[in-house]
Amino acid sequence: MDIYASDDEKGEAIKNWWRENGRSVVTGVVLGAAIIFGGRYWINFQQAKTEQAAAMYQQVQMNISDADLTAAEDLTQELMQTHSATPYAAFASLELAAEQVRNDQTAPALEYLQWTVDQAKLNAQKDLARLRMARLLVDQAEYAKALELTQQTVSEGFVSLFAELKGDIYLAQENKTEAYEAYVESISNMDADDPRKTLLEMKRDDVAVINES
């Protein structure tokens, strides 16, 4: 618009511009308001779902504490189906699997752990499930499958734990050289004040003595 135009010319120019662009302006304002409202609605909706999942997870914990595994499993299944995008579904699956192991229900425990590996959103949850699966497989002498799981870790905090388990698997297979290297790897990836360090050093040294004999 020409800044030197008369007031009448300016007024007419504004009318013409509004006739040409008014609809798009109104549409833009409406869409902008809809986006803001929709965004707030989505955030509130997600928060409500997360709070509901958290409450369900707490109930699973109570069911496990009361030794009511049937109720715990039913609620965990519901969490897995309706709130799989939240971390609470994986937490419930992990806890239920742990309780099933304590009750010698290894097969269903492995299924829940596998679900966690496949569906959990947090890498730490996936690695915890892999670690527990591998330990169960070692107990069943499924060494090849367990060893494969130890090589899939993605979380830095689990590197030492998986290396230790890898050493245990190699030792069970009487592969003492590989066991020694795995224990060394485990020690090198732990903090200096880690309470596991003394035990790992004993494992390493025992294998070293065997190798030298």
Side-chain angles (χ1 to χ4, degrees):
M1 186 184 302
D2 185 355
I3 61 173
Y4 298 107
S6 67
D7 290 342
D8 290 340
E9 290 172 337
K10 289 179 182 178
E12 188 62 30
I14 290 172
K15 291 178 183 178
N16 290 334
W17 183 91
W18 186 255
R19 281 195 295 268
E20 295 174 0
N21 301 283
R23 181 176 297 178
S24 61
V25 171
V26 172
T27 301
V29 170
V30 172
L31 286 175
I35 290 172
I36 293 172
F37 176 78
R40 289 176 179 171
Y41 173 81
W42 184 86
I43 291 172
N44 292 336
F45 175 73
Q46 293 300 319
Q47 182 177 355
K49 287 191 66 175
T50 300
E51 291 174 354
Q52 183 182 12
M56 293 171 68
Y57 168 60
Q58 290 178 342
Q59 185 60 51
V60 169
Q61 290 180 304
M62 292 176 61
N63 290 336
I64 291 175
S65 179
D66 293 338
D68 190 349
L69 283 189
T70 300
E73 185 166 4
D74 289 344
L75 199 53
T76 298
Q77 285 286 339
E78 185 178 350
L79 262 170
M80 290 161 57
Q81 293 171 10
T82 61
H83 298 287
S84 61
T86 72
Y88 296 106
F91 281 135
S93 179
L94 286 166
E95 291 205 26
L96 179 60
E99 186 64 20
Q100 288 173 327
V101 170
R102 284 190 285 270
N103 286 271
D104 297 321
Q105 299 176 10
T106 303
L110 284 170
E111 291 180 3
Y112 279 104
L113 291 173
Q114 184 63 62
W115 182 91
T116 305
V117 170
D118 295 337
Q119 302 296 330
K121 306 305 179 184
L122 302 178
N123 287 333
Q125 291 177 323
K126 290 177 178 289
D127 276 341
L128 180 56
R130 288 190 186 98
L131 185 67
R132 291 180 177 179
M133 284 182 68
R135 287 172 175 167
L136 289 177
L137 291 170
V138 169
D139 291 340
Q140 298 176 346
E142 296 279 356
Y143 300 127
K145 292 181 180 179
L147 193 59
E148 183 179 353
L149 286 171
T150 67
Q151 298 168 345
Q152 297 176 14
T153 178
V154 294
S155 305
E156 184 177 346
F158 282 84
V159 172
S160 178
L161 290 167
F162 275 109
E164 179 185 3
L165 182 56
K166 187 162 54 176
D168 293 344
I169 295 170
Y170 283 131
L171 188 58
Q173 294 176 311
E174 299 185 358
N175 188 340
K176 300 177 179 61
T177 299
E178 295 289 349
Y180 175 82
E181 293 178 357
Y183 292 141
V184 169
E185 178 188 359
S186 179
I187 293 169
S188 67
N189 282 282
M190 65 170 50
D191 295 333
D193 58 349
D194 193 311
R196 295 168 42 245
K197 188 172 183 180
T198 300
L199 176 60
L200 261 294
E201 289 175 338
M202 291 174 60
K203 287 184 176 182
R204 176 202 61 192
D205 295 343
D206 286 347
V207 177
V209 170
I210 292 173
N211 282 335
E212 292 173 358
S213 61

